[in-house]
């Protein structure tokens, strides 16, 4: 493939694995350090960016409107963007609708706002079962019991479109700063398999 074309996710993954093997083989780094760094980007550093986007949407009605209209442009206002985030769509949870994101083909994921995808997101079981029985998967696999009166919508991320869930703002957060609100936002709530933390919890 010509250098003028962006590498595919499979090619990037293969290069990363080769580099990791080389670094470990030469004794420059241990696999535990690599796992720790990957875990940080999967659970902490990466999702913190998305949490700031959500907190801004909770605090600023104008930004929220733009996020739901053109998520990529709204994120760019916060200097968030890049590869895997060129065409993002934000979908909003409400009392009537709960959104959940999956990638049925592989593991397409909005890296700029969520960091690295969690391992379970890549598993065939999650990718297929979530489409067929989302309510059951959310309850059995993630402990999220969505009331039968709430419509569950499953969004299939692809190489063309990546989805971000805008979770419901928790009650009792009036008057909280954006930074405080961001601390309540979890990675899972932005995928739709969890809810934000509450101020008490």
């Amino acid at each position: 493939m010509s250098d003028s074309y962006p590498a595919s996710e499979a090619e990037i993954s293969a290069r990363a694995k080769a580099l990791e093997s080389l670094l470990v083989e030469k004794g420059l780094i241990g696999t535990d350090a690599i796992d720790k760094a990957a875990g940080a980007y999967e659970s902490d550093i990466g999702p913190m960016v998305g949490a700031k986007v959500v907190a801004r949407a909770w605090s600023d009605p104008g930004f929220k409107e733009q996020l739901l209209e053109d998520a990529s442009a709204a994120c760019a206002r916060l200097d968030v963007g890049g590869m895997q985030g060129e065409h993002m769509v934000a979908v909003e949870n409400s009392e009537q609708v709960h959104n959940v994101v999956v990638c049925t083909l592989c593991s397409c994921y909005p890296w700029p706002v969520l960091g690295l995808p969690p391992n379970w997101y890549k598993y065939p079981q999650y990718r297929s079962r979530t489409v067929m029985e989302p309510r059951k998967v959310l309850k059995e696999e993630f402990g999220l019991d969505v009331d039968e009166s709430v419509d569950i919508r499953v969004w299939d991320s692809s190489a063309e479109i990546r989805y971000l869930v805008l979770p419901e703002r928790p009650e009792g957060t009036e008057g909280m700063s954006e930074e405080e609100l961001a601390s309540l936002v979890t990675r899972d709530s932005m995928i739709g398999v969890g809810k934000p933390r509450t101020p008490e919890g």
Side-chain angles (χ1 to χ4, degrees):
M1 180 178 285
S2 168
D3 289 341
S4 62
Y5 291 91
S8 68
E9 287 187 39
E11 290 172 314
I12 292 171
S13 178
R15 291 175 189 173
K17 288 185 185 300
L19 180 59
E20 176 183 339
S21 297
L22 185 62
L23 291 172
V24 171
E25 182 182 319
K26 293 192 172 290
L28 298 174
I29 194 169
T31 55
D32 54 339
I34 293 172
D35 291 342
K36 185 175 180 180
Y41 277 93
E42 177 185 306
S43 304
D44 300 317
I45 299 169
M48 281 174 54
V49 176
K52 291 176 182 176
V53 172
V54 170
R56 175 65 60 87
W58 284 347
S59 305
D60 181 342
F63 180 80
K64 175 182 175 180
E65 183 178 352
Q66 184 183 21
L67 182 68
L68 295 174
E69 187 175 301
D70 186 341
S72 297
C75 288
R77 279 179 54 189
L78 302 181
D79 295 322
V80 175
M83 193 174 78
Q84 315 302 334
E86 299 91 340
H87 304 290
M88 285 193 293
V89 172
V91 289
E92 182 181 15
N93 281 352
S94 68
E95 292 182 358
Q96 295 79 35
V97 176
H98 182 86
N99 298 283
V100 62
V101 180
V102 67
C103 177
T104 56
L105 292 178
C106 49
S107 58
C108 295
Y109 193 73
W111 291 11
V113 288
L114 295 185
L116 300 176
N119 285 331
W120 53 259
Y121 187 82
K122 309 171 195 175
Y123 294 159
Q125 300 93 319
Y126 174 76
R127 288 161 29 200
S128 60
R129 286 188 62 217
T130 301
V131 173
M132 296 184 292
E133 47 186 13
R135 199 176 304 274
K136 187 174 181 181
V137 169
L138 291 175
K139 184 174 183 178
E140 293 182 356
E141 305 299 330
F142 299 96
L144 180 60
D145 194 359
V146 180
D147 193 89
E148 290 290 338
S149 65
V150 177
D151 181 32
I152 297 181
R153 296 178 185 168
V154 179
W155 300 90
D156 190 2
S157 276
S158 68
E160 288 75 34
I161 299 176
R162 315 277 167 136
Y163 291 94
L164 169 72
V165 174
L166 176 59
E168 285 187 88
R169 181 172 175 166
E171 293 183 4
T173 58
E174 300 78 9
M176 291 180 71
S177 68
E178 281 189 31
E179 186 176 350
E180 291 170 326
L181 288 171
S183 71
L184 303 178
V185 183
T186 64
R187 175 202 64 197
D188 287 3
S189 71
M190 293 182 283
I191 300 173
V193 297
K195 289 191 174 183
R197 302 180 185 94
T198 61
E200 300 78 23

